Structure formats: structure tokens, C-alpha cells
Amino acid sequence: MWGTAGLAVAFVLSLIAGVLLAVHGPTDSSSAADSSSVTLQQEPPSSTEPSQVPPAPAKPDDGKEPKKVEKVALQSGDTLWKLARTHHTSVEVLQRLNGLGSSTLIYAGKKLNVPAGKTAAHPEQQQSPASASAHDRPSAQTAKPKTSEPQTAEPKTSRSAKSAPSTVIAYARKQLGKPYVWGGAGPRGFDCSGLVMRAWATAGVKLPRTTWDQIRAGSATTRGRLVPGDLVLSYGGGHVGLYIGKGRVIHAPRPGTTVTVAPLPAPADVVAYRHIRA
């Protein structure tokens, strides 16, 4: 009896197992392994996506032009050279800021563009020893500049053309040791153009007051044809010396010096040689 019952139970269990296999199917270990090895590939970026381009470096500032400017009222005696020192800039920058081109003419009562916030406290202490006196540079004019060249006055009939240079040089030698004076034309002191003007006046010849006008006085000559009494203009036309022969000049160099004898300036520093006819 128990043997028959055991067979019946075994048969039922086998039927149940068959039903379960039919419903779920066999377990395939290789499928599980395959499914575990599947990986997701990242989608390649679209070719239309813009690439990241590093920004171009900013162009460095060359420092030649001021970022801010201000206007100053010009007074009689002002010059581009003096204003350039006062505002820590150059004559060329002032010319560009004011559309002057290569001109150095400025007029009293007008306004001039200058770099802002750069005014010097004591500009007179900043003068370069090699620079010409500010008085000899073109200053602000109160009237329209003359368009014609200044004419050399006719010599006095009592003086001969041959003795005039000797008279001029003799006067200049008597001034040796006198101090440089801004705008001075004697007798206590001189600037460079004041000395030359006063020396030639003793020979009856009236020369212009500043180097910028003296550069057109008389007639042009050359270094090799210089004779005593000729004018030697240097440093861009801002300084003048009186030639006395043997490669030397008498001149008033700059503030803090005296009238002295010096060698001719180097040819590269000279802008004009002028022969004055008595």
C-alpha cells in the first residue's frame, strides 16, 4: 500500500516539475553571461557642434597715446616743448592730440589738448642738459604769424662788411662767464638766441629774436664753408651758437650755465648753418 502511494506522489511531483519547466523555460547560464557583458557606447559628438576656440590675447597697449585728455588755456610764453615737460609727454603726442601735424605754432588765449592727470609740480627742474632753452622754441603768439621770411636789416654805411664779424665776435667774447637767463638779451645775462641777436646788433645787423626765426636769417651755408660770425643751429632748431673759427662757437647753453666757448656740435645734431651778411 505504501509503495503504491509513494509512486503516486513521485508521479505528481514529476508532473508539477514538467509544468514549471514549460512555463519558465530552461535557465541558460551563457545568456546571463552574454547579457552581463553588454556595454553602452557613448554617442559620438555631432559634427555641427561648435568647437571651443580660446580667445585671442588682447593687444597690448603701446603707451604712446594717453587714455584721457584735458584742455588747458594757453598763455603768452607757452610753448609745445614747455607744455610737454609740464605734462610728462612729448611734442609729437601734443601735435597728434591737437591735429597740428608737424607745426609747432600755438596761440595765446586758445585751448590745447594735453594728457590728463600728469602735471609736473616743478617742470623747470626736469630740463635735459642737452635740450635747448624753452624760450628759443616757438611760443604762443598773440597775433597771426608772419608768412614772409624776416629780412635782414641794411647795415650801417659806417661799418664795412669785412670788419663786422670781428665786431660781432669781440662783443660775444666780452659776455663770457655771464649767466644763462631765460629770455635774456643782456647785459646781465643771455639765452642762446639773445646772445647772437645782441652780438650782431653791434655790427648794425638786426636779427630775429628766436632761433626758430634765426634759422631763416641770412643765407644757407655748409659746415666746410663756415666763417666767423655764422650761425650754427642745432637740437631740432631750438639752439644756436655763434661760430668764431677753428671749429668752435660761443653760446649760452642752458639754465644753470654761463656763456662759454665750445666745440661745434656734431654734424648729426646740426639742422642749419646760416651766413649773415653785414
Side-chain angles (χ1 to χ4, degrees):
M1 178 179 179
W2 285 105
T4 304
L7 291 173
V9 172
F11 177 75
V12 171
L13 290 176
S14 64
L15 286 177
I16 293 173
V19 171
L20 290 175
L21 289 176
V23 173
H24 296 288
T27 301
D28 191 348
S29 59
S30 62
S31 298
D34 290 341
S35 61
S36 63
S37 64
V38 176
T39 58
L40 297 178
Q41 299 294 328
Q42 185 177 3
E43 185 178 357
S46 173
S47 59
T48 59
E49 182 180 356
S51 59
Q52 296 295 326
V53 179
K59 185 178 180 181
D61 184 11
D62 57 12
K64 294 183 179 180
E65 294 292 348
K67 295 181 178 179
K68 294 182 180 181
V69 297
E70 61 184 358
K71 290 184 179 293
V72 296
L74 296 175
Q75 300 178 1
S76 180
D78 280 343
T79 67
L80 283 183
W81 184 78
K82 178 180 176 182
L83 291 168
R85 288 190 303 136
T86 301
H87 294 277
H88 296 292
T89 185
S90 65
V91 171
E92 291 75 12
V93 168
L94 292 180
Q95 287 172 328
R96 288 198 296 272
L97 288 178
N98 294 277
L100 297 178
S102 59
S103 174
T104 55
L105 290 176
I106 55 178
Y107 302 95
K110 301 292 185 179
K111 290 188 176 181
L112 195 77
N113 292 324
V114 299
K118 293 186 177 182
T119 305
H122 300 285
E124 66 275 10
Q125 297 177 359
Q126 301 169 6
Q127 181 168 5
S128 171
S131 300
S133 67
H135 178 81
D136 294 324
R137 304 205 177 246
S139 60
Q141 305 292 322
T142 55
K144 293 183 178 180
K146 296 180 180 180
T147 56
S148 59
E149 289 191 1
Q151 300 295 322
T152 303
E154 292 293 330
K156 294 180 179 180
T157 56
S158 60
R159 297 184 182 276
S160 66
K162 187 174 181 180
S163 63
S166 299
T167 302
V168 171
I169 294 172
Y171 176 86
R173 287 188 178 277
K174 290 181 180 179
Q175 315 313 312
L176 291 174
K178 289 187 177 181
Y180 180 100
V181 175
W182 188 300
R188 295 183 179 180
F190 300 84
D191 64 12
C192 63
S193 58
L195 175 65
V196 170
M197 179 192 71
R198 192 64 68 194
W200 268 103
T202 62
V205 176
K206 184 178 179 181
L207 291 182
R209 176 62 185 87
T210 68
T211 61
W212 298 95
D213 289 326
Q214 289 176 2
I215 200 172
R216 297 190 295 271
S219 57
T221 186
T222 63
R223 193 180 185 92
R225 299 180 64 184
L226 285 173
V227 296
D230 285 352
L231 311 186
V232 181
L233 293 113
S234 57
Y235 298 114
H239 187 68
V240 63
L242 185 69
Y243 185 67
I244 61 174
K246 297 182 179 180
R248 300 177 300 164
V249 296
I250 290 179
H251 70 149
R254 58 188 176 274
T257 64
T258 60
V259 176
T260 186
V261 176
L264 272 171
D269 294 332
V270 177
V271 296
Y273 304 96
R274 304 299 292 186
H275 176 66
I276 308 299
R277 191 181 300 276

